Amino acid sequence: MDRTSPTSITRPIGFRAAGSTCGIKPSGKPDLALIVSDTPCTAAGVFTTNKVKGAPVLVSQKHVRNGKARAIVCNSGTSNVATGEQGLRDAEAMCQTTAAALGLRYPSEVLVASTGVIGHRLPMDKVLPGIEQLAPTLAQGKKADNAAADAILTTDLVRKTALRTVTLGGKTITLGGICKGSGMIAPNMATMLAFITTDVAIDSKPLKLALRAATSETFNRLSVDSDKSTSDSVMVLANGQAKNRAITGPGRVFDRFVETLTDLCRDLSEQLIWDGEGVTRIMRVRVSGAASVKDADRVGRSVVDSPLVKTALHGADPNWGRIAMAAGKSDAKLKKDTLSIRIAGMSIYEHGQPTKLGLKPPAKLAKAMAAKEVQIEVDLGLGKASAEWLGCDLTREYIHINADYTT
Amino acid sequence: MDRTSPTSITRPIGFRAAGSTCGIKPSGKPDLALIVSDTPCTAAGVFTTNKVKGAPVLVSQKHVRNGKARAIVCNSGTSNVATGEQGLRDAEAMCQTTAAALGLRYPSEVLVASTGVIGHRLPMDKVLPGIEQLAPTLAQGKKADNAAADAILTTDLVRKTALRTVTLGGKTITLGGICKGSGMIAPNMATMLAFITTDVAIDSKPLKLALRAATSETFNRLSVDSDKSTSDSVMVLANGQAKNRAITGPGRVFDRFVETLTDLCRDLSEQLIWDGEGVTRIMRVRVSGAASVKDADRVGRSVVDSPLVKTALHGADPNWGRIAMAAGKSDAKLKKDTLSIRIAGMSIYEHGQPTKLGLKPPAKLAKAMAAKEVQIEVDLGLGKASAEWLGCDLTREYIHINADYTT
């Protein structure tokens, strides 16, 4: 896998992109993006599990059901969530206008995503003309990649892109991805959007399986603030232009593709957590010894979501008891007498007993807690399942950003 | 019910209390409290559901199992949690020394609680002599009440006491209570301790039922920061000195007692949320129309724990979409099309459609969000179950307090 290429979303063969300002955001920042394949694609999506789903999520779920799509239209600034029947009509209208502007036969060939404030109607008098004006500017190359990547951001501070190539059956396959954060980020698709293009030839069923496998180990195991957005969507378009022998099911080639897709998603995930709202340092929580992967996930999530662990991380405070508290409050099977905790490789709690380091945390532990990335290991000592989670600190800046967002 | 009496924990007949500084806290603030009945009591306790329980919790659970106890000893400053076998020996030693100092026959007549930093051993060379010196100072009256109430505090800013009287079978029954917060406060007994004395005559089984009923509607329905402490304990001692005909089971008198106990616990709960770490305003979240009380609780908890709802409350931001998001992310049965939301009595989202007020939040909605207490109603429109939760805002001060606690 090559990780060093400079641009992303239009590097796979046969994709074009565009991004611009149609006027949704009062700031005048870019707010409309288009990603299009020149030829038909297999497509897959993974969407928020929140029961209050945004209209674009409902529409995209419907459009992707047949495993086919060719374009993605996305606006930022307003999420088109909790907007009732009107919201559904607006999301459908975005697909219709995009299809018409691109000369596609069916609006269902278009997937749609919106991100931003909840509960406001989209300014359709800006969005629809915006799409018509944007379509003729679709292009390949760095400028187009960056324009699309910028137009999907909300409170994000930096653009997030990733690129991977892999050789499958003698053909070079390229995958490009862009994503946005940066608050309301939690397991099972928090406020995040990720769009992935690839020129691999793959059937829709294995593409769906591959996307599920990749997201479950990456986007679904990170949390900025434990809130789960109503808009989260990860979408992939695969147009087959790399001319590999099509992947039709399980096997070595499929596994290699999943591995590459997972690696791309992990890259985007890490960019996403680092750009979490107000984040100054991150934690990588490795849970092992769990009775099941589900239990490992419960403990991982509980630790990265705990406000007291997050503030201890922020304060570089080796107050490891909070990690024990957070592990213990989860629903996972857990016995105090088999629980062990390590920070930055230092054992501080072993089988329910504090170690010498735990009883009197030394300066080197405080120093380790002050690193940009802190490694926390929680060994439940009960089984063989494990999971790795990414979390971040909770800061005054997070509160500043979120106490003053709409008004 | 009379709510206006001036002191609390020694107002029921036959109780004495004391509080002092034995030297656990570097600050020199009070850190040791004793509450004792002159005569044997029925007793009950409700304890944290965290799987990493503090040693004092394990010891008190054992001591209260027979429904009898006579004294409570509590220290603040160090929680004696995650301290292994040594921690259990230390908690037992506190009970033994207390029993000896009070002339009680069995250490199991003493319940014990500790609150403060996790993972440090108690300084027993200070705690045990402290208990011996404190016992002779046990007294009745305001000074003793306040000394005990002060000695159980950690980062709390204010003392929390409550008093209720009720007439049962022609006898005046008095209940006194003290509690401490103020972070790591969440459902199912977060870092909170509450000690309740009463002179009611009641058997141990109905006392236990009464305490469970009262806590499930009060302490278990508030959350400062979603973290669930390893030490939470609510304990009640009932010595029968009011000479009412003993409550032995269900009935009108039992119900009246439960009602009074619940009212006392609610009073303490509200003091607790107002003194939550860094709190500037609170939210009262009334969930109705749920398919079950469990579902109403899931939604209530999800809303009060959501960092984005909490920061919106802090910023007096009528960003009601975050309430819809928080309701939707819970595990409760919920349909978007039957969901309604009101803030301060104003309908902003009805049956899955935003109202005019919701689409363009007026100035009066922003003004209502800026109140000290904000009423939020979430109607799931599915059933008849309801629950009321208390939550608070998330502030920079919370982060300041918790980023710098141990070090």
Side-chain angles (χ1 to χ4, degrees), chain B residues 58-224:
Chain B
L58 297 172
V59 169
S60 291
Q61 282 182 317
K62 194 172 72 177
H63 288 187
V64 84
R65 201 163 293 149
N66 66 355
K68 288 173 189 167
R70 206 161 135 180
I72 297 169
V73 59
C74 174
N75 74 273
S76 55
T78 299
S79 69
N80 193 10
V81 171
T83 44
E85 290 297 326
Q86 184 63 53
L88 286 170
R89 284 195 292 272
D90 291 346
E92 290 281 11
M94 285 177 70
C95 295
Q96 281 154 11
T97 300
T98 303
L102 298 175
L104 304 180
R105 193 154 172 188
Y106 303 109
S108 63
E109 293 177 86
V110 182
L111 306 181
V112 58
S114 300
T115 177
V117 180
I118 299 177
H120 292 201
R121 201 192 150 187
L122 277 172
M124 298 305 283
D125 56 332
K126 292 173 181 167
V127 174
L128 299 186
I131 292 170
E132 284 162 358
Q133 285 157 30
L134 190 58
T137 71
L138 282 161
Q140 286 183 326
K142 191 174 175 176
K143 208 174 143 188
D145 289 340
N146 291 346
D150 287 343
I152 66 173
L153 305 179
T154 53
T155 54
D156 306 63
L157 299 178
V158 298
R159 178 193 304 152
K160 298 166 194 73
T161 71
L163 190 74
R164 292 292 184 277
T165 58
V166 61
T167 304
L168 297 180
K171 303 288 182 182
T172 299
I173 308 291
T174 305
L175 298 90
I178 59 176
C179 78
K180 64 92 34 186
S182 67
M184 218 189 276
I185 301 284
N188 297 311
M189 307 292 97
T191 311
M192 55 151 299
L193 301 175
F195 306 128
I196 300 161
T197 55
T198 174
D199 46 22
V200 74
I202 187 169
D203 288 356
S204 62
K205 199 174 156 189
L207 182 63
K208 191 174 170 179
L209 290 175
L211 186 64
R212 290 212 167 264
T215 53
S216 71
E217 289 205 6
T218 56
F219 296 122
N220 282 352
R221 280 189 178 146
L222 69 90
S223 177
V224 169

Side-chain angles (χ1 to χ4, degrees), chain A residues 17 85 88 93 107 135 190 241 257 285 294 306 308 318 339-340 348 358 363 392:
Chain A
E85 290 297 327
L88 286 170
Q241 294 304 304
F257 176 70
V285 178
K294 202 170 178 182
S306 161
L308 288 167
L339 180 65
S340 301
I348 48 181
C392 58

Side-chain angles (χ1 to χ4, degrees), chain A residues 50-51 84-85 184 225-227 306-308 311 315 317 319 322 325 328-330 332 336 353 395 399 402-403 406, chain B residues 50-51 53 84 184 225-227 306-308 311 315 317 319 322 325 328-330 332 353 395 399 402-403 406:
Chain A
N50 195 307
K51 291 176 200 82
E85 290 297 327
M184 216 187 278
D225 61 7
S226 85
D227 274 333
S306 161
L308 288 167
T311 47
D317 180 354
N319 192 342
R322 294 180 180 179
M325 174 280 298
K329 78 170 177 166
S330 85
K336 199 176 69 167
Q353 310 281 343
T395 67
I399 290 169
N402 285 299
T406 58
Chain B
N50 194 307
K51 291 174 200 85
K53 288 178 173 55
M184 218 189 276
D225 62 6
S226 84
D227 274 334
S306 161
L308 288 168
T311 46
D317 179 354
N319 192 341
R322 294 180 180 178
M325 174 280 298
K329 78 170 177 166
S330 84
Q353 309 281 341
T395 67
I399 290 169
N402 285 299
T406 59

Side-chain angles (χ1 to χ4, degrees), chain A residues 225-239:
Chain A
D225 61 7
S226 85
D227 274 333
K228 191 190 289 177
S229 146
T230 47
S231 306
D232 300 330
S233 305
V234 178
M235 301 172 183
V236 56
L237 299 179
N239 67 6

Side-chain angles (χ1 to χ4, degrees), chain A residues 7-247:
Chain A
T7 66
S8 78
I9 201 90
T10 68
R11 275 290 287 276
I13 301 164
F15 284 95
R16 287 174 298 144
S20 69
T21 299
C22 76
I24 303 170
K25 293 178 180 170
S27 64
K29 286 188 180 173
D31 51 20
L32 193 63
L34 268 179
I35 303 166
V36 184
S37 166
D38 295 334
T39 52
C41 297
T42 52
V46 174
F47 301 93
T48 180
T49 56
N50 195 307
K51 291 176 200 82
V52 179
K53 288 176 173 57
V57 169
L58 297 171
V59 169
S60 292
Q61 282 183 317
K62 195 172 71 177
H63 288 187
V64 84
R65 202 164 291 149
N66 66 355
K68 288 174 188 165
R70 204 160 134 180
I72 297 170
V73 59
C74 174
N75 75 273
S76 56
T78 299
S79 68
N80 193 8
V81 172
T83 44
E85 290 297 327
Q86 184 63 54
L88 286 170
R89 284 194 292 272
D90 291 345
E92 290 281 10
M94 284 177 70
C95 295
Q96 279 153 14
T97 300
T98 303
L102 298 176
L104 304 180
R105 192 154 173 188
Y106 302 110
S108 64
E109 293 177 85
V110 182
L111 306 182
V112 58
S114 301
T115 177
V117 180
I118 300 178
H120 293 201
R121 201 193 150 188
L122 275 173
M124 297 306 283
D125 56 334
K126 293 173 180 168
V127 175
L128 299 186
I131 292 170
E132 284 161 0
Q133 285 157 29
L134 191 57
T137 72
L138 282 162
Q140 285 183 324
K142 191 173 176 177
K143 209 175 145 189
D145 289 340
N146 290 345
D150 287 343
I152 66 172
L153 305 180
T154 53
T155 55
D156 306 62
L157 299 178
V158 298
R159 178 193 305 152
K160 299 167 192 71
T161 71
L163 189 74
R164 293 290 184 277
T165 58
V166 61
T167 304
L168 298 180
K171 302 287 180 182
T172 299
I173 307 291
T174 305
L175 297 89
I178 59 176
C179 78
K180 64 90 39 185
S182 68
M184 216 187 278
I185 300 285
N188 296 313
M189 308 292 98
T191 308
M192 55 151 298
L193 300 177
F195 306 129
I196 299 161
T197 55
T198 174
D199 46 23
V200 75
I202 187 169
D203 287 356
S204 62
K205 199 173 156 190
L207 181 63
K208 192 173 169 180
L209 291 174
L211 186 63
R212 290 213 167 265
T215 53
S216 70
E217 289 205 8
T218 56
F219 296 121
N220 282 352
R221 280 189 178 146
L222 70 91
S223 178
V224 169
D225 61 7
S226 85
D227 274 333
K228 191 190 289 177
S229 146
T230 47
S231 306
D232 300 330
S233 305
V234 178
M235 301 172 183
V236 56
L237 299 179
N239 67 6
Q241 294 304 304
K243 308 290 182 192
N244 59 303
R245 203 169 121 188
I247 302 171

